Amino acid sequence: MNKNHSSTIYLDKKALANNLEFIRNLLTEKNKFSAVIKGNAYGHGAVEMMTALQELGVNHFSVFSAYEAKQVFSVLAKNSVLMIMGDIPDEDISWIVENEIEVFIYDLKSLQQFITTAKNQQKQVNIHIELETGMHRHGFDKKHWEKLLGIIKANLAYIKLKGICTHFAGAESSANYKRIKDQQENFREGVGFFKQAGLNSENLHTSSSAGAIAYPEWNLDLVRIGILLYGLWPSKEIQLFYRMKYQTTFDLQPVLSWHSSIMAIKEVKPGEYIGYGNSFLAEREMKVASVPVGYGYGFSRAMSNTGRVLVKGKRLPVIGMVNMNMFLIEVTDVEVEISDKVTLIGKDADQEIKVSYFGNLSDQLNYELLTRLDKSIPRKLI
Ligand SMILES: *Cc1c(COP(=O)(O)O)cnc(C)c1O
């Protein structure tokens, strides 16, 4: 067990390799793929994940912000591409141009700033034009395409057009089918507009994990894959769709597991309340153990009196309220000692606590739950 922190997150490289094969099977020779490692690599640890992925041959990465780009930049291999899909404060523009990081461009003002900086540095900025196609988050509206085109054409010496892209609003659910079909039409129109004007982009890209499975004809030149990498499904519906369509038993494997250890053990008499308040009353002689992980580390308070963890291959109930830094489990019928391993997410003998189980109990999306895992918890590749 890690001596410096009350819990440790392990990253399974074999599972990661398996998921890469799974992803490559979804794609054709023509579709490149970018590993999305925003949100601290969905809580897995961006530096650790980038390191492992590069060792496994991945060389294209996507993050949300300049801040995230800076966090992984020191481990970025020379032949790897880093792409920022969102926020870039003005102060970071110079660093981005200098280090040839690729960026989504979604407003004219920032494009102008990038061009000015590229001129000053006598360099080219690597841009992906993000088109507004119906998500209404960010991206160029049709009414601005003409102006955008003018600016790019006038500054081609300082711009490398790496891509034209968009993002589908909820490809993980068939409820959004019509909206996504409309987005695809709008994207087609936008791409046609720039192409007709003589502007050629290296990559067209629209798909994330759900899109790659539900709309494979839209995988185009580059696919931005997040959740599948980590061995999780974008939604139940996509999982089912995949099963029906591909008729294969090849499956994703979760990369992350989360472990802590028992901190203290106590006997409690019938009639005593356990933990804060009176949410749990001992109705018989009980043995309880404390685990030094709480909502402050991402173990949701919603797990109070309902969650399960694994100790010695047994599923044991969380009793009482989850605190900021710890929670209690019942160990009445199990031989346990202080320092015994507690599995919060992952496998122990033939038992498993899945991210989806944890997520369902705490009413969180797998994406949400993972990104809430505290950054201070050490991540270890195994
Ligand atoms: C997060 C994100 C992705 C990856 O989504 P997954 O569902 O995790 O595959 C792709 N594109 C953009 C723009 C994103 O923000």
Side-chain angles (χ1 to χ4, degrees):
M1 271 288 112
N2 188 284
K3 294 272 193 301
N4 305 312
H5 202 282
S6 64
S7 70
T8 306
I9 286 170
Y10 292 97
L11 307 172
D12 181 346
K13 253 184 106 169
K14 266 210 196 109
L16 187 58
N18 171 84
N19 301 339
L20 286 175
E21 194 184 337
F22 182 99
I23 292 163
R24 288 185 178 124
N25 286 344
L26 286 177
L27 306 178
T28 67
E29 287 286 291
K30 194 176 156 286
N31 317 135
K32 280 174 285 180
F33 108 88
S34 184
V36 178
I37 54 164
K38 67 187 180 192
N40 197 29
Y42 295 41
H44 289 60
V47 166
E48 292 82 357
M49 282 299 288
M50 183 185 248
T51 306
L53 285 162
Q54 285 180 153
E55 281 169 24
L56 292 165
V58 176
N59 60 6
H60 201 298
F61 296 89
S62 297
V63 292
F64 168 67
S65 61
Y67 179 82
E68 291 184 342
K70 286 184 162 175
Q71 287 188 320
V72 295
F73 188 69
S74 66
V75 289
L76 184 75
K78 276 218 163 54
N79 66 340
S80 288
V81 173
L82 184 57
M83 181 166 87
I84 301 175
M85 307 185 293
D87 180 53
I88 299 172
D90 293 351
E91 308 82 67
D92 289 323
I93 288 181
S94 177
W95 179 79
I96 284 165
V97 174
E98 188 183 323
N99 292 293
E100 299 174 6
I101 290 163
E102 306 193 359
V103 291
F104 278 28
I105 293 284
Y106 42 82
D107 73 88
L108 293 172
K109 182 170 159 269
S110 85
L111 177 60
Q112 296 281 18
Q113 283 175 299
F114 270 108
I115 292 169
T116 307
T117 306
K119 274 184 190 163
N120 287 339
Q121 294 190 13
Q122 285 299 304
K123 288 193 76 125
Q124 286 187 306
V125 55
N126 296 306
I127 68 164
H128 295 253
I129 300 174
E130 186 179 17
L131 297 180
E132 173 56 62
T133 59
M135 184 159 186
H136 304 295
R137 192 165 69 167
H138 39 72
F140 283 102
D141 282 316
K142 192 173 169 182
K143 62 176 183 231
H144 296 132
W145 293 351
E146 196 70 55
K147 193 157 183 205
L148 173 63
L149 176 69
I151 295 173
I152 294 176
K153 283 193 125 176
N155 292 284
L156 277 176
Y158 304 104
I159 291 172
K160 245 190 247 167
L161 185 56
K162 284 284 173 183
I164 301 180
C165 60
T166 194
H167 187 56
F168 296 141
E172 71 282 354
S173 165
S174 57
N176 303 319
Y177 181 79
K178 170 74 171 74
R179 185 165 171 205
I180 287 168
K181 283 284 151 191
D182 289 344
Q183 282 192 276
Q184 292 166 348
E185 274 322 301
N186 294 336
F187 186 71
R188 207 195 298 278
E189 188 188 346
V191 169
F193 172 84
F194 290 99
K195 199 167 176 188
Q196 200 156 40
L199 213 55
N200 279 317
S201 121
E202 259 177 55
N203 301 289
L204 301 179
H205 51 113
T206 62
S207 294
S208 60
S209 296
I213 294 172
Y215 306 97
E217 68 283 13
W218 283 90
N219 287 344
L220 310 179
D221 304 305
L222 185 69
V223 184
R224 308 178 303 258
I225 302 275
I227 199 81
L228 292 175
L229 265 182
Y230 307 101
L232 300 165
W233 293 94
S235 66
K236 272 261 166 252
E237 194 181 330
I238 291 290
Q239 181 177 9
L240 191 65
F241 182 85
Y242 174 85
R243 284 275 162 266
M244 284 162 55
K245 183 172 165 195
Y246 290 87
Q247 304 283 325
T248 159
T249 53
F250 190 39
D251 210 347
L252 295 165
Q253 292 173 12
V255 169
L256 175 145
S257 60
W258 186 19
H259 304 277
S260 183
S261 54
I262 288 179
M263 178 180 143
I265 301 169
K266 274 203 176 304
E267 315 265 324
V268 183
K269 291 201 170 55
E272 300 285 350
Y273 288 110
I274 296 177
Y276 278 122
N278 55 9
S279 78
F280 193 93
L281 176 72
E283 292 177 350
R284 56 187 173 109
E285 230 16 91
M286 286 180 85
K287 200 166 64 171
V288 300
S290 49
V291 181
V293 174
Y295 56 78
Y297 302 116
F299 195 87
S300 171
R301 225 170 144 263
M303 305 293 267
S304 300
N305 285 312
T306 58
R308 294 288 183 274
V309 299
L310 306 177
V311 180
K312 300 235 156 131
K314 295 203 163 61
R315 295 177 90 82
L316 301 177
V318 173
I319 56 173
M321 303 307 288
V322 172
N323 304 172
M324 184 188 292
N325 304 100
M326 72 173 82
F327 64 87
L328 300 169
I329 54 177
E330 182 182 0
V331 292
T332 309
D333 304 317
V334 202
E335 279 298 318
V336 290
E337 291 173 29
I338 287 173
S339 293
D340 277 352
K341 183 167 95 164
V342 179
T343 299
L344 311 173
I345 296 175
K347 286 185 186 152
D348 183 358
D350 58 356
Q351 290 290 323
E352 181 174 10
I353 305 273
K354 293 187 176 175
V355 168
S356 58
Y357 170 82
F358 192 118
N360 288 342
L361 276 184
S362 58
D363 193 23
Q364 298 178 90
L365 287 179
N366 50 16
Y367 295 81
E368 179 184 359
L369 179 162
L370 289 169
T371 47
R372 285 189 178 182
L373 296 176
D374 184 40
K375 291 188 179 65
S376 75
I377 302 168
R379 270 70 170 171
K380 293 209 170 133
L381 283 160
I382 47 167

